[in-house]
Amino acid sequence: MSLFKIFDVAGSAMSAQTVRLNVVASNLANADNVSGTEQGAYKAKHPVFKTLLDSAHNGDKSSAGVAVSGIVESTEPAQKRYMPQHPLADTEGYVYLPNINPIEEMVNMISASRSYQSNVEVMNTSKELLLRTLGLGQ
């Protein structure tokens, strides 16, 4: 395994966490949207990650990475709230809010941010170690 593979692994993780942060931002931006129908209400989205194994060297799975295989919508029902004065209310006086919990989304955002930071540190440490290894020959 090449010493430079760590940059591929950490880079793929940083890319996946960027997608996660974007999905969380989208969920938070739509947390207060209101709809007149349950089908029209915004549904929370979540990224699905998959592991990538490097089998280029005769089945050697010594390095891996991560990728986003897709983004799925939550199956939880929309929140139904009685607001007959709202212009989008249905005939029974209900409006539908997204199935987003802002606290959970903030926790996801913090977790994704910390994971991204950790991968930056992995790359910086690896770079420093490689530079010191190259300096041994001088």
Side-chain angles (χ1 to χ4, degrees):
M1 177 175 110
S2 170
L3 293 175
F4 296 105
K5 285 283 188 185
I6 190 68
F7 295 109
D8 294 336
V9 174
S12 71
M14 289 170 62
S15 177
Q17 293 306 325
T18 300
V19 170
R20 185 177 172 198
L21 282 168
N22 286 333
V23 169
V24 168
S26 176
N27 287 342
L28 286 172
N30 289 293
D32 292 328
N33 286 355
V34 177
S35 177
T37 64
E38 188 171 5
Q39 295 78 20
Y42 181 84
K43 295 186 178 25
K45 294 176 177 36
H46 306 285
V48 178
F49 300 111
K50 68 177 179 179
T51 303
L52 303 174
L53 297 176
D54 182 18
S55 57
H57 301 292
N58 301 326
D60 177 25
K61 295 180 181 177
S62 58
S63 68
V66 66
V68 177
S69 64
I71 297 174
V72 297
E73 285 187 348
S74 174
T75 58
E76 293 181 30
Q79 299 174 20
K80 188 175 179 181
R81 187 172 294 165
Y82 184 70
M83 295 176 71
Q85 74 282 6
H86 198 283
L88 292 177
D90 62 10
T91 56
E92 298 175 1
Y94 287 99
V95 294
Y96 299 89
L97 295 151
N99 56 359
I100 296 170
N101 182 344
I103 296 170
E104 286 180 14
E105 294 299 324
M106 292 299 289
V107 169
N108 276 335
M109 183 178 67
I110 292 168
S111 175
S113 177
R114 296 278 168 98
S115 295
Y116 190 92
Q117 268 181 323
S118 296
N119 283 296
V120 168
E121 285 300 316
V122 165
M123 291 183 91
N124 285 336
T125 302
S126 298
K127 180 184 88 166
E128 186 63 32
L129 289 173
L130 285 170
L131 287 173
R132 286 186 184 185
T133 302
L134 288 173
L136 288 175
Q138 294 179 352

